[in-house]
Amino acid sequence: MRIRSVVALLGSTALLAGCSGPGGETAPSVPPLVSISTTPTETPTPTETPSTPPTSKVADTLCVRMNQTLVQTTLAVPVVQIQPKPVPAEFGFPTYDVCQLGLSTSPSGPVLRVGSSVFPATPADLAAARKAYDATKGEPAKPVTIGQGGFGTSRFVVFLFDGKLVKVSGPPATLAKYVVLGQETAQQAPGLPEPAPLITRKECERGTSAAARVMGVDAAIRRDSETDTGDIVCGWITKTRVLYSTVRRVADAEAVIAPTRKAATSFPIPLGDEGYVDTATGRSLIRVGTTKIIELVPLPAGTTDKDNMVAFALAISPLYTR
């Protein structure tokens, strides 16, 4: 693993930057989508996440509170196990803070994921989430009446409850079963501690200035963590912009990156063993060895300047390539 010379690159980029069930319910009435300001009213104090996993007590999460017997019988799984180690946020629109319940004795077995949006949400945000899901052309979603309403399929439900969007997802089942799990989640949600706005790791700070240039604004929410394999995840979030870095461990990294290498929109960057910025989307991949792919992902796709993404890659890549 190595970083090649970047002198020429810097020159060319100017150094760059109440619940009820499913069925025939009608969809909840929601106002039209509205734009939301991304400027935070004040800067919260960062909360540093320890570099080593906590060993004292399990954090109070929806997964800890849920009735494990109900989960086990509803999904017909052999076991339900609390996974005490924090898991990375689910980055997107919305971004969710997530906990997991293991549904198998195997470490790589299925899990039930329970997420709560990092930002407060409204019926307009629920409508936007439904619109975004419908655009994926996946399994058609149906309306559900949990909390202030929501939608779901045989693999998940999303609903608005107590000012947040809540998502419960896992292995294939039925919509009715996920509604049961959503109802249980809603019952356990009141009084849950609110996560700190800025959950940071010092390793990720090398990328913060460059991230602000990519996003066009300082992050209002930070979500740094690590994967099951110990790779750092860094995340910068606003209502309308997301930028995160993470690592995928794969069987054949060269095969994974090959389509990116061949794409007409790929701009090469001399990092790792090979690296590219997609000039159409901004998404960047860096290969390190034969099993490691570094992913740098700005959202929405196609809304950032290429040079700013290259600068971000230069700033953050030593976290993953050394």
Coordinates of all heavy atoms in Angstrom, one line a residue, residues 207-301:
G207 N -9.7 15.7 7.1 CA -10.6 15.9 6.0 C -11.6 17.0 6.1 O -12.3 17.3 5.2
T208 N -11.8 17.6 7.3 CA -12.9 18.5 7.6 C -12.9 19.8 6.7 O -13.9 20.2 6.2 CB -12.9 18.8 9.1 OG1 -13.2 17.6 9.8 CG2 -14.0 19.9 9.4
S209 N -11.7 20.4 6.6 CA -11.7 21.6 5.8 C -12.0 21.4 4.4 O -12.7 22.1 3.7 CB -10.3 22.3 5.9 OG -10.0 22.7 7.3
A210 N -11.4 20.3 3.8 CA -11.7 19.9 2.4 C -13.1 19.5 2.2 O -13.7 19.8 1.2 CB -10.8 18.8 2.0
A211 N -13.7 18.9 3.3 CA -15.1 18.5 3.2 C -16.0 19.7 3.1 O -17.0 19.7 2.3 CB -15.5 17.6 4.4
A212 N -15.7 20.8 3.8 CA -16.5 22.0 3.8 C -16.5 22.6 2.4 O -17.5 23.1 1.9 CB -16.0 23.0 4.8
R213 N -15.3 22.5 1.7 CA -15.3 23.0 0.3 C -16.1 22.2 -0.6 O -16.7 22.7 -1.5 CB -13.8 23.1 -0.1 CG -13.0 24.1 0.6 CD -11.7 24.4 -0.1 NE -10.7 23.3 0.0 CZ -9.9 23.1 1.0 NH1 -9.9 23.9 2.1 NH2 -9.1 22.0 1.0
V214 N -16.1 20.9 -0.4 CA -16.9 20.0 -1.3 C -18.4 20.3 -1.1 O -19.1 20.4 -2.1 CB -16.6 18.5 -0.9 CG1 -17.7 17.6 -1.6 CG2 -15.2 18.1 -1.4
M215 N -18.8 20.5 0.2 CA -20.2 20.7 0.5 C -20.7 22.1 0.3 O -21.9 22.4 0.3 CB -20.5 20.2 1.9 CG -20.1 18.7 2.1 SD -20.2 18.2 3.9 CE -22.0 18.2 4.1
G216 N -19.7 23.0 0.3 CA -20.1 24.4 0.3 C -20.5 25.0 1.6 O -20.9 26.2 1.6
V217 N -20.4 24.3 2.7 CA -20.8 24.8 4.0 C -20.3 23.8 5.0 O -20.0 22.7 4.7 CB -22.4 24.8 4.1 CG1 -23.0 23.4 4.0 CG2 -22.9 25.5 5.3
D218 N -20.1 24.3 6.2 CA -19.6 23.4 7.3 C -20.7 22.5 7.7 O -21.9 22.8 7.6 CB -19.2 24.2 8.6 CG -18.0 25.1 8.4 OD1 -17.1 24.7 7.5 OD2 -17.8 26.1 9.1
A219 N -20.3 21.3 8.1 CA -21.3 20.2 8.5 C -22.1 20.6 9.7 O -21.5 21.1 10.7 CB -20.6 18.9 8.7
A220 N -23.4 20.4 9.7 CA -24.2 20.6 10.9 C -24.2 19.4 11.8 O -24.4 19.5 13.0 CB -25.6 21.0 10.6
I221 N -24.0 18.2 11.2 CA -24.0 16.9 11.9 C -22.7 16.2 11.5 O -22.3 16.2 10.3 CB -25.2 16.1 11.5 CG1 -26.5 16.8 11.9 CG2 -25.1 14.7 12.2 CD1 -26.8 16.8 13.4
R222 N -22.1 15.6 12.4 CA -20.9 14.7 12.1 C -21.2 13.3 12.7 O -21.7 13.1 13.8 CB -19.6 15.2 12.8 CG -19.1 16.5 12.2 CD -18.3 16.2 10.9 NE -17.3 15.2 11.1 CZ -16.1 15.5 11.6 NH1 -15.7 16.8 11.9 NH2 -15.1 14.6 11.7
R223 N -20.8 12.3 11.9 CA -21.0 10.9 12.3 C -19.8 10.1 11.9 O -19.7 9.6 10.8 CB -22.3 10.3 11.6 CG -23.6 10.8 12.3 CD -23.7 10.4 13.7 NE -25.0 10.8 14.3 CZ -25.1 11.9 15.1 NH1 -24.1 12.7 15.2 NH2 -26.2 12.2 15.6
D224 N -18.8 10.1 12.7 CA -17.6 9.3 12.5 C -17.7 8.0 13.3 O -18.3 8.0 14.4 CB -16.3 10.1 13.0 CG -16.1 11.4 12.2 OD1 -16.8 11.6 11.2 OD2 -15.3 12.2 12.7
S225 N -17.2 6.9 12.8 CA -17.3 5.6 13.5 C -16.3 4.7 12.9 O -15.3 5.1 12.3 CB -18.7 5.1 13.4 OG -19.1 5.0 12.0
E226 N -16.6 3.4 13.0 CA -15.7 2.4 12.3 C -16.5 1.2 11.9 O -17.6 0.9 12.5 CB -14.5 2.0 13.1 CG -14.8 1.2 14.4 CD -13.6 0.8 15.1 OE1 -12.7 1.7 15.4 OE2 -13.5 -0.4 15.5
T227 N -16.1 0.5 10.9 CA -16.7 -0.7 10.4 C -16.4 -1.9 11.3 O -15.6 -1.8 12.2 CB -16.3 -1.0 9.0 OG1 -14.9 -1.4 9.0 CG2 -16.5 0.2 8.1
D228 N -17.1 -3.0 11.0 CA -16.8 -4.3 11.7 C -15.3 -4.7 11.6 O -14.8 -5.4 12.5 CB -17.7 -5.4 11.3 CG -19.2 -5.2 11.7 OD1 -19.4 -4.4 12.7 OD2 -20.1 -5.8 11.1
T229 N -14.7 -4.3 10.5 CA -13.3 -4.7 10.3 C -12.3 -3.7 10.8 O -11.1 -3.9 10.6 CB -13.1 -4.9 8.8 OG1 -13.4 -3.7 8.1 CG2 -13.9 -6.1 8.2
G230 N -12.8 -2.7 11.5 CA -12.0 -1.7 12.1 C -11.5 -0.6 11.3 O -10.7 0.2 11.6
D231 N -12.1 -0.4 10.1 CA -11.8 0.7 9.2 C -12.6 1.9 9.6 O -13.8 1.8 9.9 CB -12.1 0.3 7.7 CG -11.3 -0.8 7.2 OD1 -10.0 -0.6 7.2 OD2 -11.8 -1.8 6.8
I232 N -12.0 3.1 9.6 CA -12.6 4.3 10.0 C -13.7 4.8 9.0 O -13.5 4.7 7.8 CB -11.6 5.4 10.2 CG1 -10.5 5.0 11.2 CG2 -12.3 6.7 10.6 CD1 -11.1 4.7 12.6
V233 N -14.8 5.3 9.5 CA -15.8 5.9 8.7 C -15.9 7.4 9.1 O -16.0 7.6 10.3 CB -17.2 5.2 8.8 CG1 -18.3 6.0 8.1 CG2 -17.1 3.8 8.4
C234 N -15.8 8.3 8.2 CA -16.0 9.7 8.5 C -17.2 10.2 7.7 O -17.4 9.9 6.5 CB -14.7 10.5 8.0 SG -13.2 9.8 8.7
G235 N -18.0 11.1 8.4 CA -19.2 11.6 7.8 C -19.5 13.0 8.1 O -19.5 13.4 9.3
W236 N -19.8 13.8 7.1 CA -20.2 15.2 7.3 C -21.6 15.4 6.6 O -21.8 15.0 5.5 CB -19.2 16.1 6.5 CG -17.8 16.1 7.1 CD1 -17.2 16.9 8.0 CD2 -16.7 15.1 6.8 NE1 -15.9 16.5 8.3 CE2 -15.6 15.4 7.5 CE3 -16.7 14.0 5.9 CZ2 -14.4 14.7 7.5 CZ3 -15.5 13.3 5.8 CH2 -14.4 13.6 6.6
I237 N -22.5 16.0 7.4 CA -23.9 16.0 7.0 C -24.6 17.3 7.2 O -24.4 18.0 8.2 CB -24.7 14.9 7.8 CG1 -24.0 13.6 7.8 CG2 -26.1 14.8 7.4 CD1 -24.3 12.6 8.9
T238 N -25.4 17.8 6.2 CA -26.3 18.8 6.4 C -27.7 18.3 5.9 O -27.8 17.2 5.4 CB -25.9 20.1 5.6 OG1 -26.1 19.9 4.2 CG2 -24.5 20.5 5.8
K239 N -28.7 19.2 5.9 CA -30.0 18.7 5.4 C -30.0 18.4 3.9 O -30.7 17.5 3.5 CB -31.0 19.8 5.7 CG -31.8 19.7 7.0 CD -32.8 18.6 6.8 CE -33.9 18.7 7.9 NZ -35.0 17.7 7.8
T240 N -29.1 19.1 3.2 CA -29.1 18.9 1.7 C -27.8 18.4 1.2 O -27.8 18.1 -0.1 CB -29.4 20.2 1.0 OG1 -28.4 21.2 1.4 CG2 -30.8 20.8 1.5
R241 N -26.8 18.2 2.0 CA -25.5 17.6 1.5 C -25.0 16.6 2.4 O -25.1 16.7 3.7 CB -24.5 18.8 1.4 CG -24.9 19.9 0.4 CD -24.5 19.4 -1.0 NE -24.9 20.5 -2.0 CZ -24.2 20.8 -3.0 NH1 -23.0 20.2 -3.3 NH2 -24.6 21.8 -3.9
V242 N -24.3 15.6 1.9 CA -23.7 14.5 2.7 C -22.4 14.2 2.0 O -22.3 14.2 0.8 CB -24.6 13.3 2.7 CG1 -23.8 12.1 3.4 CG2 -25.9 13.5 3.5
L243 N -21.3 14.0 2.8 CA -20.1 13.5 2.3 C -19.5 12.5 3.3 O -19.5 12.8 4.5 CB -19.1 14.7 2.1 CG -17.6 14.3 1.7 CD1 -17.6 13.7 0.3 CD2 -16.7 15.5 1.7
Y244 N -19.1 11.3 2.8 CA -18.6 10.4 3.8 C -17.5 9.5 3.1 O -17.4 9.4 1.9 CB -19.7 9.4 4.3 CG -20.3 8.5 3.3 CD1 -19.9 7.2 3.2 CD2 -21.4 8.9 2.6 CE1 -20.5 6.3 2.3 CE2 -22.0 8.1 1.7 CZ -21.6 6.8 1.5 OH -22.2 5.9 0.6
S245 N -16.6 9.0 4.0 CA -15.6 8.1 3.5 C -15.6 6.8 4.3 O -15.9 6.8 5.5 CB -14.2 8.8 3.7 OG -13.9 9.0 5.1
T246 N -15.4 5.7 3.6 CA -15.5 4.4 4.2 C -14.6 3.4 3.4 O -14.0 3.8 2.4 CB -16.9 3.9 4.3 OG1 -17.0 2.8 5.1 CG2 -17.5 3.6 3.0
V247 N -14.6 2.2 3.9 CA -13.8 1.1 3.2 C -14.7 -0.1 3.0 O -15.5 -0.5 3.9 CB -12.6 0.7 4.1 CG1 -11.9 -0.5 3.6 CG2 -11.6 1.9 4.1
R248 N -14.6 -0.7 1.8 CA -15.2 -2.0 1.6 C -14.1 -3.0 1.5 O -13.1 -2.8 0.8 CB -15.9 -2.0 0.2 CG -17.4 -1.6 0.3 CD -18.1 -1.9 -1.0 NE -17.7 -1.1 -2.1 CZ -17.8 -1.5 -3.4 NH1 -18.4 -2.6 -3.7 NH2 -17.4 -0.7 -4.4
R249 N -14.3 -4.1 2.2 CA -13.4 -5.3 2.0 C -14.0 -6.3 1.0 O -15.1 -6.7 1.2 CB -13.1 -5.9 3.4 CG -12.5 -5.0 4.4 CD -11.0 -4.8 4.1 NE -10.4 -3.8 5.1 CZ -9.1 -3.6 5.2 NH1 -8.3 -4.3 4.4 NH2 -8.6 -2.8 6.0
V250 N -13.3 -6.6 0.0 CA -13.8 -7.4 -1.1 C -12.9 -8.5 -1.5 O -11.7 -8.5 -1.1 CB -14.1 -6.5 -2.4 CG1 -15.1 -5.4 -2.1 CG2 -12.8 -5.8 -2.9
A251 N -13.4 -9.5 -2.2 CA -12.5 -10.6 -2.6 C -11.6 -10.2 -3.7 O -10.4 -10.7 -3.8 CB -13.4 -11.8 -3.1
D252 N -12.0 -9.3 -4.6 CA -11.1 -9.0 -5.8 C -11.3 -7.5 -6.0 O -12.2 -7.0 -6.8 CB -11.5 -9.8 -7.0 CG -10.6 -9.6 -8.2 OD1 -9.8 -8.6 -8.2 OD2 -10.6 -10.4 -9.1
A253 N -10.4 -6.7 -5.4 CA -10.5 -5.2 -5.5 C -10.3 -4.7 -7.0 O -10.9 -3.8 -7.4 CB -9.6 -4.5 -4.6
E254 N -9.4 -5.4 -7.7 CA -9.2 -5.0 -9.1 C -10.4 -5.2 -10.0 O -10.7 -4.3 -10.8 CB -8.0 -5.8 -9.7 CG -6.7 -5.4 -9.0 CD -5.5 -6.0 -9.8 OE1 -5.4 -5.7 -11.0 OE2 -4.6 -6.6 -9.1
A255 N -11.2 -6.2 -9.7 CA -12.4 -6.4 -10.5 C -13.4 -5.4 -10.1 O -14.2 -4.9 -11.0 CB -12.9 -7.9 -10.3
V256 N -13.5 -5.1 -8.8 CA -14.5 -4.1 -8.4 C -14.2 -2.7 -9.0 O -15.2 -2.0 -9.4 CB -14.5 -4.0 -6.9 CG1 -15.3 -2.8 -6.4 CG2 -15.0 -5.3 -6.2
I257 N -13.0 -2.3 -9.1 CA -12.7 -1.0 -9.6 C -12.6 -0.9 -11.1 O -12.5 0.2 -11.7 CB -11.4 -0.5 -8.9 CG1 -11.4 1.1 -8.9 CG2 -10.1 -1.0 -9.6 CD1 -10.2 1.7 -8.1
A258 N -12.5 -2.0 -11.8 CA -12.3 -2.1 -13.2 C -13.4 -1.2 -14.0 O -13.0 -0.5 -14.9 CB -12.4 -3.5 -13.7
P259 N -14.7 -1.3 -13.7 CA -15.6 -0.5 -14.4 C -15.4 1.0 -14.2 O -15.6 1.8 -15.2 CB -17.0 -0.9 -13.8 CG -16.8 -2.3 -13.3 CD -15.4 -2.2 -12.8
T260 N -15.0 1.4 -13.0 CA -14.6 2.8 -12.8 C -13.4 3.2 -13.6 O -13.4 4.3 -14.2 CB -14.4 3.1 -11.3 OG1 -15.5 2.7 -10.6 CG2 -14.0 4.5 -11.0
R261 N -12.4 2.4 -13.7 CA -11.2 2.6 -14.5 C -11.5 2.9 -15.9 O -10.9 3.7 -16.6 CB -10.2 1.4 -14.3 CG -8.9 1.6 -15.0 CD -8.2 0.3 -15.2 NE -8.0 -0.3 -13.9 CZ -8.3 -1.6 -13.6 NH1 -8.8 -2.4 -14.6 NH2 -8.1 -2.1 -12.4
K262 N -12.5 2.1 -16.5 CA -12.8 2.2 -17.9 C -13.8 3.3 -18.2 O -14.0 3.6 -19.4 CB -13.4 0.8 -18.3 CG -12.4 -0.3 -18.2 CD -13.0 -1.7 -18.5 CE -12.1 -2.8 -18.3 NZ -12.7 -4.1 -18.5
A263 N -14.4 3.9 -17.2 CA -15.5 4.8 -17.5 C -14.9 6.1 -18.1 O -13.9 6.6 -17.7 CB -16.2 5.2 -16.2
A264 N -15.7 6.7 -19.1 CA -15.2 7.9 -19.8 C -15.2 9.1 -18.8 O -14.4 10.0 -19.1 CB -16.1 8.2 -20.9
T265 N -15.9 9.0 -17.7 CA -16.0 10.1 -16.8 C -15.0 10.0 -15.7 O -15.0 10.9 -14.7 CB -17.4 10.3 -16.2 OG1 -17.8 9.0 -15.6 CG2 -18.4 10.6 -17.3
S266 N -14.1 9.0 -15.7 CA -13.2 8.8 -14.6 C -11.9 9.7 -14.8 O -11.3 9.7 -15.9 CB -12.7 7.3 -14.5 OG -13.8 6.6 -14.0
F267 N -11.6 10.4 -13.7 CA -10.4 11.2 -13.7 C -9.4 10.5 -12.7 O -9.7 10.4 -11.5 CB -10.7 12.6 -13.2 CG -9.5 13.5 -13.1 CD1 -9.0 14.2 -14.2 CD2 -8.9 13.8 -11.8 CE1 -7.9 15.0 -14.1 CE2 -7.8 14.6 -11.7 CZ -7.3 15.2 -12.9
P268 N -8.2 10.1 -13.2 CA -7.3 9.4 -12.3 C -6.6 10.3 -11.3 O -6.3 11.4 -11.5 CB -6.2 8.8 -13.3 CG -6.3 9.8 -14.5 CD -7.7 10.3 -14.6
I269 N -6.5 9.7 -10.1 CA -5.7 10.4 -9.0 C -4.7 9.4 -8.5 O -5.0 8.2 -8.3 CB -6.7 10.8 -7.9 CG1 -7.6 9.7 -7.4 CG2 -7.5 12.0 -8.3 CD1 -8.5 10.0 -6.3
P270 N -3.4 9.8 -8.3 CA -2.3 8.9 -7.9 C -2.3 8.6 -6.4 O -1.4 9.0 -5.7 CB -1.1 9.7 -8.4 CG -1.5 11.1 -8.2 CD -2.9 11.2 -8.5
L271 N -3.3 7.9 -6.0 CA -3.4 7.5 -4.6 C -3.6 6.0 -4.5 O -4.3 5.4 -5.3 CB -4.6 8.2 -3.9 CG -4.5 9.7 -3.9 CD1 -5.8 10.3 -3.4 CD2 -3.3 10.2 -3.0
G272 N -3.1 5.4 -3.4 CA -3.1 3.9 -3.3 C -2.5 3.2 -4.5 O -1.5 3.7 -5.0
D273 N -3.1 2.1 -4.9 CA -2.6 1.4 -6.1 C -3.2 2.0 -7.4 O -2.6 1.9 -8.4 CB -2.8 -0.1 -6.0 CG -1.9 -0.7 -4.9 OD1 -0.7 -0.6 -5.1 OD2 -2.4 -1.1 -3.9
E274 N -4.4 2.5 -7.3 CA -5.0 3.3 -8.3 C -6.2 3.9 -7.7 O -6.9 3.4 -6.8 CB -5.4 2.4 -9.5 CG -6.4 1.2 -9.2 CD -6.8 0.4 -10.4 OE1 -7.0 1.0 -11.5 OE2 -6.9 -0.8 -10.3
G275 N -6.6 5.1 -8.3 CA -7.7 5.8 -7.8 C -8.3 6.7 -8.8 O -7.7 7.1 -9.8
Y276 N -9.7 7.0 -8.7 CA -10.4 7.7 -9.7 C -11.5 8.6 -9.0 O -12.1 8.1 -8.0 CB -11.0 6.8 -10.7 CG -10.1 5.8 -11.3 CD1 -9.9 4.6 -10.8 CD2 -9.3 6.2 -12.5 CE1 -9.0 3.7 -11.3 CE2 -8.4 5.3 -13.0 CZ -8.2 4.0 -12.4 OH -7.3 3.2 -13.0
V277 N -11.7 9.8 -9.6 CA -12.9 10.6 -9.3 C -13.8 10.5 -10.5 O -13.4 10.8 -11.6 CB -12.5 12.0 -9.0 CG1 -13.7 12.9 -8.8 CG2 -11.6 12.1 -7.7
D278 N -15.0 10.2 -10.3 CA -16.0 10.2 -11.3 C -16.5 11.7 -11.5 O -17.1 12.2 -10.6 CB -17.2 9.3 -11.0 CG -18.2 9.2 -12.2 OD1 -18.4 10.2 -12.9 OD2 -18.8 8.1 -12.3
T279 N -16.1 12.3 -12.6 CA -16.4 13.7 -12.8 C -17.9 14.0 -13.0 O -18.3 15.1 -12.9 CB -15.7 14.2 -14.0 OG1 -16.0 13.4 -15.2 CG2 -14.2 14.1 -13.8
A280 N -18.7 12.9 -13.2 CA -20.1 13.1 -13.4 C -20.8 13.1 -12.0 O -21.8 13.9 -11.8 CB -20.7 12.0 -14.3
T281 N -20.4 12.2 -11.1 CA -21.1 12.1 -9.8 C -20.3 12.6 -8.7 O -20.8 12.9 -7.6 CB -21.4 10.6 -9.6 OG1 -20.1 9.9 -9.4 CG2 -22.2 10.0 -10.7
G282 N -19.0 12.7 -8.8 CA -18.1 13.1 -7.7 C -17.6 11.9 -6.8 O -16.7 12.0 -6.1
R283 N -18.3 10.8 -7.0 CA -17.9 9.6 -6.2 C -16.5 9.1 -6.6 O -16.1 9.1 -7.8 CB -18.9 8.4 -6.5 CG -18.7 7.2 -5.7 CD -19.8 6.2 -5.9 NE -19.7 5.0 -5.1 CZ -19.2 3.8 -5.7 NH1 -18.8 3.8 -6.9 NH2 -19.1 2.8 -4.9
S284 N -15.7 8.8 -5.6 CA -14.3 8.5 -5.8 C -14.0 7.1 -5.2 O -14.5 6.8 -4.1 CB -13.4 9.5 -5.2 OG -13.7 10.8 -5.7
L285 N -13.2 6.3 -5.9 CA -12.7 5.0 -5.5 C -11.2 5.0 -5.5 O -10.6 5.5 -6.4 CB -13.3 3.9 -6.3 CG -14.8 3.7 -6.4 CD1 -15.1 2.5 -7.3 CD2 -15.4 3.5 -5.0
I286 N -10.6 4.4 -4.4 CA -9.2 4.2 -4.4 C -9.0 2.7 -4.0 O -9.5 2.2 -3.1 CB -8.5 5.1 -3.3 CG1 -8.8 6.6 -3.6 CG2 -7.0 4.8 -3.2 CD1 -8.4 7.5 -2.5
R287 N -8.1 2.0 -4.8 CA -7.8 0.6 -4.5 C -6.5 0.5 -3.8 O -5.5 1.2 -4.2 CB -7.7 -0.2 -5.8 CG -7.4 -1.7 -5.6 CD -7.3 -2.5 -6.9 NE -6.3 -2.0 -7.8 CZ -5.0 -2.4 -7.7 NH1 -4.6 -3.2 -6.7 NH2 -4.1 -2.0 -8.6
V288 N -6.5 -0.3 -2.7 CA -5.3 -0.5 -2.0 C -5.1 -2.0 -1.9 O -5.9 -2.7 -1.2 CB -5.4 0.1 -0.5 CG1 -4.1 -0.3 0.2 CG2 -5.6 1.6 -0.6
G289 N -4.2 -2.6 -2.6 CA -3.9 -4.0 -2.6 C -5.1 -4.7 -3.4 O -5.7 -4.2 -4.3
T290 N -5.3 -6.0 -3.0 CA -6.3 -6.8 -3.7 C -7.6 -6.9 -3.0 O -8.5 -7.5 -3.6 CB -5.7 -8.2 -4.0 OG1 -5.4 -8.8 -2.7 CG2 -4.4 -8.1 -4.8
T291 N -7.7 -6.4 -1.8 CA -9.0 -6.7 -1.1 C -9.6 -5.4 -0.5 O -10.6 -5.5 0.2 CB -8.8 -7.7 0.1 OG1 -7.8 -7.1 1.0 CG2 -8.3 -9.0 -0.5
K292 N -9.0 -4.2 -0.8 CA -9.5 -3.0 -0.1 C -9.9 -1.9 -1.1 O -9.1 -1.6 -1.9 CB -8.4 -2.5 0.8 CG -8.8 -1.3 1.7 CD -7.6 -1.0 2.6 CE -7.8 0.2 3.5 NZ -6.7 0.5 4.4
I293 N -11.1 -1.4 -1.0 CA -11.6 -0.3 -1.8 C -12.0 0.8 -0.8 O -12.9 0.6 0.0 CB -12.8 -0.8 -2.6 CG1 -12.4 -1.8 -3.7 CG2 -13.5 0.5 -3.3 CD1 -11.6 -1.3 -4.8
I294 N -11.4 2.0 -1.0 CA -11.8 3.2 -0.3 C -12.9 3.9 -1.1 O -12.7 4.1 -2.3 CB -10.6 4.1 -0.1 CG1 -9.5 3.3 0.7 CG2 -11.0 5.3 0.7 CD1 -8.1 3.9 0.5
E295 N -13.9 4.3 -0.4 CA -15.0 5.0 -1.1 C -15.2 6.4 -0.5 O -15.3 6.5 0.7 CB -16.3 4.2 -1.0 CG -16.4 2.9 -1.7 CD -17.7 2.2 -1.6 OE1 -18.1 1.8 -0.5 OE2 -18.4 2.1 -2.6
L296 N -15.2 7.4 -1.3 CA -15.4 8.8 -0.9 C -16.7 9.2 -1.7 O -16.7 9.3 -2.9 CB -14.2 9.6 -1.3 CG -12.8 9.1 -0.9 CD1 -11.8 10.0 -1.4 CD2 -12.7 8.9 0.6
V297 N -17.8 9.5 -1.0 CA -19.1 9.7 -1.6 C -19.7 11.0 -1.3 O -20.1 11.2 -0.1 CB -20.0 8.5 -1.3 CG1 -21.3 8.6 -2.0 CG2 -19.4 7.1 -1.5
P298 N -19.9 11.9 -2.2 CA -20.7 13.1 -2.0 C -22.1 12.9 -2.5 O -22.3 12.3 -3.5 CB -19.9 14.1 -2.9 CG -19.4 13.3 -4.0 CD -19.2 11.9 -3.5
L299 N -23.0 13.4 -1.7 CA -24.5 13.4 -2.1 C -25.1 14.8 -2.0 O -24.7 15.5 -1.1 CB -25.2 12.4 -1.2 CG -24.7 10.9 -1.2 CD1 -25.4 10.1 -0.1 CD2 -25.0 10.3 -2.6
P300 N -26.0 15.1 -2.9 CA -26.4 14.4 -4.1 C -25.3 14.2 -5.1 O -24.4 15.0 -5.2 CB -27.6 15.2 -4.6 CG -28.0 16.1 -3.6 CD -26.7 16.4 -2.7
A301 N -25.4 13.2 -5.9 CA -24.4 12.9 -6.9 C -24.4 14.1 -7.9 O -25.4 14.6 -8.3 CB -24.7 11.6 -7.7

